[in-house]
Amino acid sequence: MLIKKPDDIRSSEITPERDYVDRRKFLALAGVAAVGVAGTSRLLSVLRPAPAQPGDDKPNTWEEITNYNNYYEFGTDKDDPAANSQHFRTRPWTVRVDGLVKKPADYHFEDLVKPYKVQDRTYRFRCVEAWSMVIPWNGIPLAEMIQRFEPLPSAKYVRFETIYAPDQMPGQKGNVLPWPYVEGLRMDEAMHPLTLMVTGLYGKTLPNQDGAPLRLIVPWKYGFKGIKAITKISFVDKQPRNTWNIAAPDEYGFYANVNPEVDHPRWTQASERRIGQFRRIKTLMFNGYADQVAHLYAGMDLRKNF
Ligand SMILES: Nc1nc2c(c(=O)[nH]1)N[C@H]1C(S)=C(S)[C@@H](COP(=O)(O)O)O[C@H]1N2
Ligand SMILES: [Mo]
């Protein structure tokens, strides 16, 4: 994100240049080409790119979801995580729960997830780089997990940390990001019924490149909020700094709500490229989940709180 263009993709997936040409420039070119030709308006309507529509939300394939990843601990190219994470050890796995909470403990992964029924949740997934997928996750509502830890009333935020294991994660030997990766949510965001602790994908165990054994998914926020390989959950009273905000504070905020009206400083957020599809589609406010989550941000200036 910091070092890549939004559509830094394998050549086999490169969208035809027409998609990138500024629409006004494109129309001007088309207009010039059409001057003096009969049926100009019909020609123009053929050449003019269709206005972006919302996507059809057909789930992406297993191959797409597990081979086009962001996981800088395993490299910065989209195919690096699949190639470099296969020997990552996800057992035994411990999650430390600490901070402003009645039941701090080190939980073995198996004990942490055992009390819950894993749910199927197909969500839209929107990366801040303006690509998206539709992903059939399996997981546990974070609210159910948090209730068990009994946070104190003084807990206002939840902070999540990825494992620090440079011997297993080659990216952590370099400084492309500050390690370990950290993310955070306001308590009401963490308790929202859409917020999911993910343990699987398409009914199978979560692949390493997608964040095994445990990763967060907050479907109305940009993908970078979805921290992978979580090993620590802390209840805190102050807004935690998240990794991408530390790396580039002008480009990535704490809230990171999907918002087609607030562009990234270096590219538009009004539309997106659905992986596997040809046309760009319209980006929806809160990634299409406005009815469920807009009330969380009532009265907030979402240009300032990006
Ligand atoms: N620990 C960790 N978590 C991370 C990242 C990362 O680099 N390290 N990348 C984030 C970004 S930018 C995105 S878009 C999603 C990608 O999730 P996916 O590869 O399962 O699609 O993971 C997020 N979680
Ligand atoms: Mo992302």
Side-chain angles (χ1 to χ4, degrees), residues 6 33 41 85 96 98 123 130 155 158 189 198 251 272:
S41 67
S85 69
R96 170 159 294 183
D98 67 7
Y123 285 153
V158 192
E189 298 177 322
V198 165
E251 303 194 0
E272 64 201 50

Side-chain angles (χ1 to χ4, degrees), residues 141-185:
L142 179 61
E144 294 185 17
M145 247 185 215
I146 287 181
Q147 271 154 17
R148 170 174 172 209
F149 307 145
E150 297 184 33
L152 302 172
S154 52
K156 303 293 182 218
Y157 296 88
V158 192
R159 179 186 183 278
F160 306 87
E161 210 173 279
T162 295
I163 193 170
Y164 181 68
D167 55 322
Q168 295 192 73
M169 295 174 141
Q172 288 182 336
K173 295 197 174 106
N175 56 7
V176 57
L177 286 177
W179 310 112
Y181 196 99
V182 172
E183 258 305 335
L185 294 173

